[in-house]
Amino acid sequence: MTILITGAAGFIGTHLAAELKQKNYDVVLCDLENRFTEYHYSNFECIICDVSNIEHIDRLPKCDIIYHLAAQ
């Protein structure tokens, strides 16, 4: 099962991603800013894009579940 987390570089997204990865889910992280260079993101597929921009939607993978945590 593939899970996408938008706003994944934030406090809640980081903790949610770690918990889901520990339960052996395929987790894809998406955030507007490039804060994925930190060591705890090395085991994740990370996408930098603006989910509010329709032109960026094609960059997101097909997934089974989306946790939408992105905000302005």
Side-chain angles (χ1 to χ4, degrees):
M1 181 177 297
T2 303
I3 299 174
L4 172 69
I5 303 175
T6 65
F11 180 79
I12 295 172
T14 319
H15 288 82
L16 176 61
E19 185 68 26
L20 293 171
K21 192 69 158 181
Q22 187 176 31
K23 294 180 186 246
N24 295 318
Y25 289 105
D26 293 323
V27 182
V28 178
L29 307 179
C30 175
D31 206 292
L32 178 61
E33 299 177 23
N34 186 9
R35 292 186 275 172
F36 295 127
T37 56
E38 299 174 31
Y39 72 95
H40 54 272
Y41 295 111
S42 62
N43 295 327
F44 296 96
E45 178 184 349
C46 301
I47 300 170
I48 300 165
C49 76
D50 181 358
V51 294
S52 68
N53 186 339
I54 193 70
E55 295 174 5
H56 291 190
I57 297 301
D58 291 340
R59 296 175 57 195
L60 300 175
K62 184 173 180 168
C63 54
D64 300 300
I65 296 174
I66 298 174
Y67 287 99
H68 181 54
L69 304 176
Q72 285 185 323

